[in-house]
C-alpha cells in the first residue's frame, strides 16, 4: 500500500439519472451536499481528520493540503469538485467537546450545469480505471446500511406530541420552552445595558422515532422541498441550510447572509399578495433591518482583509422558502494574495466564523453569553458544513435547519433566533418552531 493519495475522475452518463443528484441519495451513510439537483455525494471513507478546539480549522487545512500536495490526480473533467474531495463538519464553538471532521470518501458523484462525473479515491497501489470506478459506484448504490452514531441519554418530558404515522414523539431538550424564553428575556436585558448589539440563542428538541430514522429519505425530502437551500449530510448531521458562509471558486468568494425571519404561516388570512406582506413585515421593519445590517457588517469586515474588491446588495432581498421568508444579502469578493498565496476556504472560515448571524456581536461578549444562557453544547449546529477540493474550491454553509441523528431511533433538532433590543420571547419561541419545521416534516411529523 502506498501513502500517496490517488484519484481518477471521469465523465458519467447522466441520461439514466435525469432527476439529478438526489437520485443517488440511497444510503443512510451517504455524504451529501446538493442544491437544485446539483452538487456532490460521497460513498465510503478512505481517510478522516478530526480535531477540537480553537485551531480546528487551521489544523484541518494543514492536513488537507498535506494530503493533496503530492497526490496523483487524473482528472478529465476539471470542474470545481472534481479530483480529490473531502466533506467536512465543524463544531460551532472552540470550547465544544464535539469532534470536528474532514472525511475523504471512496467514491464521489458530482453534478454541475447538467454535467455528471465520477471520482474514485484511494491510497492503494492498484490501477484506477473507469470500469473499476463504475463497478465501485454500483456496489455502493446496491448496498444498504445505516451509518452508526454516538449514543444519547434518556430524553426529557414529552412536549407537543405531534401526529405521525409511526408514533414518533418530541421531547424537551436542554431547556424547557419557559426556561428558553427566560433566557431570551435575559439576553434582551443584557443588550439594553449596551454590553452587546445582538445575541443568537439556540434551543434543541429530541425526536424519538420507534420505527427508525431513514436518513436517506430525510435528505431526499429536504432536497426536493428546499431547492433554494443547500442540503447537507455528514456523519449523521443532516439538514438544509439557506445560508452560505463562504463559497470559493478560483479567486472568487461568495457568501449569502441571512438575518430577519418571518413565518409564512403569519401571512394566512392577510389580504393581498403574500410577498407584499413579507416585504412590509421584513424589509419595512426597523428591528429586522437592524438585525440584518449587523450580520452584513460582521461578514464584510471579517472578509475585507482577504479581498481586493467586494460588493454586496445595497438592499437586502426577500428569500422565499417553504416555511419562512428571510431578509437576505449576497456578498461577492475577489480574493487577494496573503503572504504569497490566495487563502484557502478553511483559512477564510477560520477568519469568518462565527458571524453575527449565528453568534451575535461583539463576538466574544455574545459567545460568553451564549454559554451562560443556552445550557447547550451546540455541537455541529451553526458550525461550517460543506466540502473542498485540491484546487482550493469549496462550498461551506452554516449548519442550520438541521439535526444530528444520535442513534437509529433518536434525532436532536436545533433552531436559533437573533435577539436584539425589542425582541419578544414568545415571538422568538414561535420562530424556532418555524425553523424546526423542515426537519420535522422530513421525519414524518405533522403540523406544529
Amino acid at each position: 500500500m502506498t501513502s500517496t493519495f490517488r484519484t481518477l475522475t471521469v465523465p458519467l452518463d447522466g441520461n439514466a439519472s435525469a432527476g439529478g443528484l438526489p437520485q443517488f441519495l440511497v444510503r443512510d451513510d451517504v455524504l451529501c451536499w446538493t442544491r437544485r439537483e446539483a452538487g456532490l455525494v460521497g460513498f465510503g471513507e478512505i481517510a478522516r481528520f478530526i480535531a477540537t478546539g480553537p485551531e480546528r480549522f487551521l489544523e484541518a487545512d494543514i492536513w488537507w493540503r498535506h494530503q493533496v500536495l503530492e497526490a496523483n490526480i487524473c482528472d478529465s473533467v476539471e470542474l470545481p469538485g472534481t479530483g480529490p474531495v473531502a466533506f467536512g463538519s465543524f463544531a460551532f464553538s472552540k470550547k465544544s467537546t464535539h469532534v470536528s471532521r474532514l472525511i475523504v470518501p471512496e467514491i464521489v458523484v458530482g453534478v454541475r450545469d447538467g454535467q455528471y462525473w465520477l471520482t474514485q479515491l484511494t491510497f492503494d497501489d492498484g490501477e484506477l480505471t473507469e470500469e473499476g470506478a463504475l463497478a465501485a459506484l454500483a456496489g455502493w448504490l446496491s448496498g444498504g446500511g445505516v451509518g452508526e452514531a454516538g449514543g444519547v441519554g434518556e430524553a426529557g418530558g414529552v412536549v407537543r406530541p405531534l401526529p405521525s404515522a409511526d408514533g414518533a414523539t418530541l421531547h424537551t431538550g436542554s431547556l424547557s420552552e419557559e426556561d428558553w424564553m427566560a433566557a431570551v428575556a435575559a439576553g434582551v436585558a443584557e443588550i439594553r445595558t449596551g454590553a452587546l448589539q445582538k445575541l443568537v440563542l439556540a434551543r434543541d428538541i429530541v425526536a424519538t422515532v420507534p420505527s427508525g430514522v431513514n436518513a436517506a429519505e430525510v435528505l431526499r425530502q429536504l432536497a426536493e422541498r428546499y431547492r433554494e437551500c443547500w442540503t447537507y449530510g455528514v456523519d449523521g448531521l443532516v439538514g438544509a441550510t439557506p445560508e452560505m458562509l463562504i463559497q470559493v471558486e478560483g479567486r472568487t468568494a461568495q457568501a449569502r447572509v441571512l438575518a430577519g425571519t418571518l413565518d409564512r404561516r403569519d401571512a394566512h388570512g392577510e389580504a393581498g399578495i403574500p410577498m407584499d406582506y413579507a416585504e412590509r413585515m421584513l424589509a419595512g421593519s426597523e428591528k429586522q433591518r437592524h438585525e440584518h445590517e449587523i450580520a452584513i457588517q460582521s461578514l464584510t469586515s471579517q472578509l475585507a482583509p482577504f479581498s481586493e474588491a467586494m460588493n454586496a446588495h445595497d438592499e437586502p432581498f426577500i428569500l422565499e422558502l417553504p416555511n419562512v421568508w428571510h431578509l437576505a444579502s449576497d456578498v461577492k469578493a475577489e480574493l487577494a494574495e496573503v503572504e504569497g498565496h490566495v487563502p484557502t476556504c478553511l483559512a477564510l472560515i477560520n477568519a469568518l466564523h462565527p458571524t453575527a448571524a449565528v453568534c451575535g456581536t461583539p463576538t466574544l461578549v455574545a459567545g460568553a453569553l451564549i454559554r451562560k444562557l443556552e445550557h447547550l453544547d451546540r455541537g455541529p449546529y451553526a458550525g461550517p458544513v460543506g466540502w473542498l477540493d485540491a484546487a482550493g474550491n469549496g462550498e461551506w454553509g452554516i449548519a442550520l435547519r438541521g439535526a444530528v441523528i444520535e442513534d437509529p431511533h433518536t434525532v436532536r433538532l436545533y433552531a436559533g433566533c437573533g435577539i436584539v433590543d425589542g425582541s419578544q420571547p414568545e415571538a422568538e419561541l414561535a420562530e424556532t418552531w418555524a425553523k424546526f419545521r423542515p426537519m420535522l416534516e422530513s421525519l414524518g411529523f405533522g403540523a406544529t
Side-chain angles (χ1 to χ4, degrees):
M1 179 176 288
T2 178
S3 60
T4 303
F5 199 21
R6 299 190 305 121
T7 70
L8 172 67
T9 300
V10 295
L12 185 65
D13 182 8
N15 293 331
S17 304
L21 203 60
Q23 291 198 11
F24 293 92
L25 301 176
V26 297
R27 292 180 59 98
D28 285 358
D29 55 356
V30 69
L31 297 159
C32 169
W33 179 267
T34 177
R35 180 174 184 256
R36 296 178 181 172
E37 289 79 48
L40 301 171
V41 296
F43 302 95
E45 177 179 331
I46 65 166
R48 172 183 293 239
F49 174 83
I50 60 174
T52 57
E55 303 301 320
R56 60 199 184 283
F57 303 117
L58 296 181
E59 290 173 2
D61 190 25
I62 292 170
W63 179 83
W64 178 244
R65 284 189 286 167
H66 177 74
Q67 295 298 317
V68 301
L69 183 62
E70 297 182 354
N72 185 337
I73 303 170
C74 182
D75 182 358
S76 63
V77 180
E78 296 186 339
L79 288 173
T82 62
V85 168
F87 291 78
S89 164
F90 289 84
F92 168 80
S93 173
K94 63 184 179 182
K95 296 182 179 294
S96 175
T97 60
H98 178 79
V99 175
S100 300
R101 65 209 66 189
L102 287 180
I103 301 171
V104 183
E106 176 189 336
I107 289 289
V108 176
V109 176
V111 181
R112 179 185 173 103
D113 298 328
Q115 185 171 356
Y116 291 68
W117 66 86
L118 171 64
T119 299
Q120 185 172 16
L121 307 94
T122 185
F123 283 106
D124 294 339
D125 288 319
E127 183 182 8
L128 289 176
T129 65
E130 181 174 352
E131 292 76 14
L134 289 169
L137 174 62
W140 282 107
L141 293 178
S142 64
V146 177
E148 295 183 358
V152 62
E154 292 186 6
V158 176
V159 295
R160 301 196 186 199
L162 305 180
S164 73
D166 302 315
T169 53
L170 292 181
H171 307 263
T172 54
S174 300
L175 290 176
S176 68
E177 292 186 347
E178 292 74 16
D179 288 341
W180 189 80
M181 286 191 289
V184 172
V188 172
E190 288 289 332
I191 291 170
R192 288 174 177 168
T193 69
L196 70 167
Q197 293 178 277
K198 177 185 177 181
L199 173 68
V200 179
L201 287 178
R203 57 185 289 255
D204 62 335
I205 56 175
V206 179
T208 300
V209 185
S211 61
V213 180
N214 186 333
E217 178 62 22
V218 167
L219 291 171
R220 285 194 298 270
Q221 289 197 35
L222 290 171
E224 178 182 350
R225 294 177 181 174
Y226 291 83
R227 297 184 70 254
E228 296 304 309
C229 297
W230 290 269
T231 297
Y232 58 87
V234 178
D235 239 17
L237 173 68
V238 294
T241 181
E243 189 152 3
M244 176 65 73
L245 176 62
I246 198 73
Q247 175 189 29
V248 177
E249 186 171 325
R251 297 187 66 147
T252 301
Q254 299 185 73
R256 171 162 289 181
V257 181
L258 307 180
T261 304
L262 181 64
D263 190 341
R264 292 190 60 167
R265 291 182 178 178
D266 291 348
H268 290 179
E270 292 286 334
I273 301 172
M275 187 60 77
D276 292 341
Y277 174 77
E279 290 276 359
R280 185 171 71 253
M281 299 302 292
L282 284 176
S285 165
E286 182 178 348
K287 170 186 173 294
Q288 302 277 20
R289 292 290 292 257
H290 174 59
E291 181 183 345
H292 190 79
E293 288 166 6
I294 291 172
I296 286 290
Q297 290 170 4
S298 167
L299 179 106
T300 55
S301 64
Q302 290 166 305
L303 188 57
F306 302 92
S307 307
E308 291 180 346
M310 187 187 311
N311 63 69
H313 290 134
D314 293 332
E315 288 287 323
F317 63 93
I318 303 294
L319 177 64
E320 183 177 8
L321 301 177
N323 59 326
V324 296
W325 289 290
H326 287 296
L327 276 183
S329 292
D330 288 335
V331 177
K332 186 175 183 179
E334 291 303 312
L335 297 174
E337 287 192 1
V338 178
E339 298 181 352
H341 62 83
V342 175
T344 66
C345 52
L346 288 177
L348 292 174
I349 289 171
N350 184 63
L352 295 175
H353 178 80
T355 66
V358 292
C359 179
T361 188
T363 303
L364 291 178
V365 177
L369 198 54
I370 285 171
R371 291 189 292 274
K372 176 182 176 181
L373 297 178
E374 279 187 354
H375 299 276
L376 169 70
D377 184 340
R378 292 185 179 184
Y381 167 73
V385 61
W387 63 270
L388 74 166
D389 67 15
N393 305 304
E395 293 181 287
W396 293 88
I398 300 175
L400 306 175
R401 313 300 142 80
V404 174
I405 301 172
E406 296 187 323
D407 67 39
H409 302 281
T410 309
V411 185
R412 188 173 300 271
L413 292 74
Y414 299 85
C417 298
I419 310 302
V420 295
D421 190 7
S423 293
Q424 299 296 320
E426 295 81 4
E428 302 301 334
L429 179 68
E431 183 176 315
T432 64
W433 282 107
K435 291 175 175 177
F436 282 135
R437 201 175 299 144
M439 282 303 308
L440 289 173
E441 292 171 345
S442 299
L443 288 168
F445 287 92
T448 57

